[in-house]
Amino acid sequence: MELKKLQNGSDIRGVAVDGVEGESVTLTKEAVYALARGFVAYLRKKYGKEELRIAIGHDSRISAKELKESIMQGLVDEGVQVCDCGLASTPSMFMSTVFEEFKEDGAIMITASHLPYNRNGMKFFDKDGGLNKEDIKSLITFGEQESFINKENGSVEIKDLLSVYSAFLRELIKKEVNHPNTYDKPLSGMKILVDAGNGAGGFYVDKVLQPLGADTSGSQFLEPDGMFPNHIPNPEDAKAMQSICDAVKTNHSDLGIIFDTDVDRSSAVDKYGHEISRNAIVALAAALVCEEHPGTTIVTDSVTSDELHDFLENVLQVKHLRFKRGYKNVINEAVRLNKEGIDSQLAIETSGHAALKENYFLDDGAYLATKIVIKAAKMHLEGHSLDELIKELKHPLEEKELRFKITCEDFGSYGDKVLEELKVYAEKHGEFMLAPVNHEGLRFSFDKEHGNGWCLLRKSLHDPILPCNIESNTENGCKEIAKHLYAFLKNYKELDLQAMEEFIKE
C-alpha cells in the first residue's frame, strides 16, 4: 500500500469519492485504516506506553462518515479507547488533548480544508501539537509495515467536544470583556454575523455568540453541507469574501466573521462591509497582540505586502519576519524564536491561519475570531469600532498572482535551477533589486521607472508550480514588472507561461 503518495506536508490528502472526471479515489478505506494504526504505533513509540486514548472528529465533507468508520476500526483493532467527537473543528481536536474532560493522548481530524467536495484528508495531533512533516513520514512508515499488535479490545465512546470547546471560548470572552453590568452577556447590543460556508463553523453562532447576548441575525450557510453549495469555505476566495461583505452591509452588522471548512482559518469584515483579510487580517491580529506584548516579533508567510511591513514595524512598532509559506512553517519558526529567547507571540499567514503563543501556537480560526470579538466588544462599549485599529494600514494599488506550471518530471530541481539563474540574471540587470533576506524564493523590488512595486517568485510547497506574486503602486505597474520577469523566464521551455503572456497583452 503506497501511503507516501497521500502525504501533503504535515497533512494527509487525497481523493475520497468519485464524481470528478479524471480523479480516481486515492484516500481509500484501507489507506485510512492503515494510517490510523500507524498513528497508534507512532504514539506508542513516543510515549512508551501501550494503553492509549485517541479522539476522532470530522468536518462536513460527504466522505467523512465512511472514512471515520474505517479509522475507528483501525484504532479499536489496536486496543485504543476511542473518543468519537462527531462534527468538530480541527483546533478543537487538539484541545481534546488539553481539556480535563478528555485528556486524550492523540487526536485525528478528518478534513481537507477548503478543497473540493471529492477530497478529504487527515490531520494528526499529539499533546505537543500538530504533527510535523517528519512525524507524518514516520507514521506512514509504521502504517506501511502493517506490523500491528492486534489487541482487539478497544472501545468507542461518543462525547460532545464542541460544547466543551465552545464553553472555553465563551469564558474567555466574558473574562476579557469583563464589564460589571453585562458580565454574563458581554455581547449584548452587538450584531455579529457569521459565514460558515456550510463547513463545521456554524457552532460559533449558537454555542458561542448567542449565549453571550449577540444578535446573529443575517448569519449564513451555517448548516453543514459537504457539497458546499453556496461558496467555497475559504477566507481567501473572492466570492466567499464578497458574499459576507454584502451580508454585513445588508444586515447592518457591527462585525462579520468567516471561517474555512474545518475552522482553523478565519477572517473578518468591519461594520462598513470592508473585508479584513490577507494583509489586513495579519495587521489586525498583530494589533491585538502588540497591546500586551509591545515589540514582539510577528512571523508571517513570504507574500505579505510592503505596506503591511511598514504598518507592523513603524505603526505598531513590532518586528516583522517574513518566512516561508505553509502554516506549519511559520508556526515552527515562531516556536524556534521563542526557544532562542526572542519573543514571538504570533505566527500568521495571509491565508488566515493564525497561531498565538498564548494558545499553544495552535492555528485556530475560532480563537482568532474570539480575540477579534473581545476587542470589538470593548471598543463598542467605548463608542469605537474595530476598523480604527488598522486605519493606518495602506494597500497597494494593484496586485496580481500568476502560477507557472513546470512541465518536466523533475520539477523540483528545475524550479531550483530557474531561481538560481534568476538571481545571477538580476545581478546584471539594475531594475531587479533583491531583498536582503529571502527565506523562500526570490523577492525583488522595482523603482518607479520599472513598475514601482515588488515581485516574489518561489517554488510551490507541494505542486509542480512556480507561483509569482506581484504588487505595485502605479497603474499598470504589475504588468510592467511582469514584463521584466518575462524577459528572463521566456528562455525556460519547461515553464508554462501562458498566464503571464495573456496578462502582459491585456
Side-chain angles (χ1 to χ4, degrees), residues 469-480:
N469 293 85
I470 309 174
E471 291 187 1
S472 172
N473 284 304
T474 299
E475 188 175 355
N476 292 320
C478 285
K479 189 176 295 187
E480 181 68 20

Side-chain angles (χ1 to χ4, degrees), residues 251-263:
N251 291 278
H252 306 289
S253 300
D254 298 302
L255 174 66
I257 298 291
I258 182 170
F259 295 117
D260 75 338
T261 319
D262 60 326
V263 203

Side-chain angles (χ1 to χ4, degrees), residues 125-159:
F125 298 92
D126 59 29
K127 293 181 178 181
D128 295 323
L131 269 58
N132 288 308
K133 182 178 180 180
E134 294 305 314
D135 302 321
I136 299 298
K137 286 183 179 178
S138 177
L139 182 158
I140 286 172
T141 299
F142 284 125
E144 288 181 333
Q145 289 172 350
E146 299 184 3
S147 54
F148 306 120
I149 293 177
N150 290 306
K151 295 183 70 171
E152 298 183 358
N153 62 343
S155 64
V156 177
E157 178 185 14
I158 297 173
K159 293 183 74 171

Side-chain angles (χ1 to χ4, degrees), residues 74-87:
L75 298 177
V76 168
D77 287 349
E78 282 294 304
V80 171
Q81 309 307 305
V82 180
C83 178
D84 179 1
C85 300
L87 186 72

Side-chain angles (χ1 to χ4, degrees), residues 214-273:
D215 177 355
T216 60
S217 57
S219 292
Q220 56 188 23
F221 317 138
L222 305 181
E223 288 298 317
D225 186 336
M227 295 303 292
F228 311 126
N230 295 289
H231 61 66
I232 297 172
N234 181 5
E236 288 189 287
D237 182 71
K239 181 181 176 182
M241 288 308 302
Q242 188 60 56
S243 179
I244 186 174
C245 287
D246 291 343
V248 167
K249 287 186 283 189
T250 298
N251 291 278
H252 306 289
S253 300
D254 298 302
L255 174 66
I257 298 291
I258 182 170
F259 295 117
D260 75 338
T261 319
D262 60 326
V263 203
D264 61 358
R265 293 189 292 141
S266 63
S267 287
V269 176
D270 69 22
K271 68 177 183 179
Y272 303 106

Side-chain angles (χ1 to χ4, degrees), residues 303-479:
V303 300
T304 48
S305 69
D306 289 344
E307 289 79 7
L308 174 64
H309 180 78
D310 179 69
F311 177 79
L312 294 177
E313 298 242 336
N314 298 319
V315 178
L316 298 184
Q317 297 187 334
V318 297
K319 298 178 182 66
H320 176 208
L321 172 61
R322 282 194 186 100
F323 200 57
K324 302 174 183 178
R325 293 277 278 181
Y327 70 96
K328 287 296 289 184
N329 288 329
V330 294
I331 290 172
N332 289 342
E333 179 64 9
V335 171
R336 185 190 69 81
L337 290 174
N338 281 287
K339 287 181 179 178
E340 292 189 357
I342 300 170
D343 183 65
S344 178
Q345 294 289 330
L346 174 65
I348 182 168
E349 281 198 299
T350 49
S351 64
H353 278 290
L356 285 86
K357 183 180 180 181
E358 68 184 54
N359 188 43
Y360 309 95
F361 271 122
L362 175 66
D363 56 318
D364 186 343
Y367 193 88
L368 176 61
T370 296
K371 296 288 285 187
I372 292 171
V373 167
I374 289 168
K375 187 61 179 178
K378 288 181 175 180
M379 296 185 78
H380 181 77
L381 290 168
E382 298 167 354
H384 296 282
S385 57
L386 204 61
D387 57 286
E388 297 173 29
L389 292 179
I390 56 173
K391 64 182 179 181
E392 295 183 61
L393 173 66
K394 296 180 174 60
H395 301 276
L397 182 65
E398 297 181 345
E399 54 185 308
K400 182 71 175 179
E401 181 174 271
L402 300 165
R403 298 171 69 83
F404 312 130
K405 185 174 181 180
I406 303 173
T407 56
C408 64
E409 185 174 344
D410 188 6
F411 59 86
S413 297
Y414 195 82
D416 289 332
K417 176 186 176 184
V418 172
L419 292 172
E420 289 166 7
E421 294 179 0
L422 174 58
K423 187 174 182 179
V424 175
Y425 177 89
E427 291 171 354
K428 300 175 182 178
H429 293 75
E431 64 269 28
F432 289 82
M433 292 172 280
L434 182 65
V437 179
N438 289 272
H439 290 288
E440 179 179 44
L442 296 172
R443 188 183 182 107
F444 298 99
S445 296
F446 296 83
D447 61 22
K448 291 183 179 179
E449 285 69 40
H450 298 93
N452 194 22
W454 61 269
C455 76
L456 171 69
L457 186 69
R458 60 183 177 86
K459 290 169 58 177
S460 170
L461 293 176
H462 312 295
D463 301 317
I465 290 171
L466 289 180
C468 178
N469 293 85
I470 309 174
E471 291 187 1
S472 172
N473 284 304
T474 299
E475 188 175 355
N476 292 320
C478 285
K479 189 176 295 187

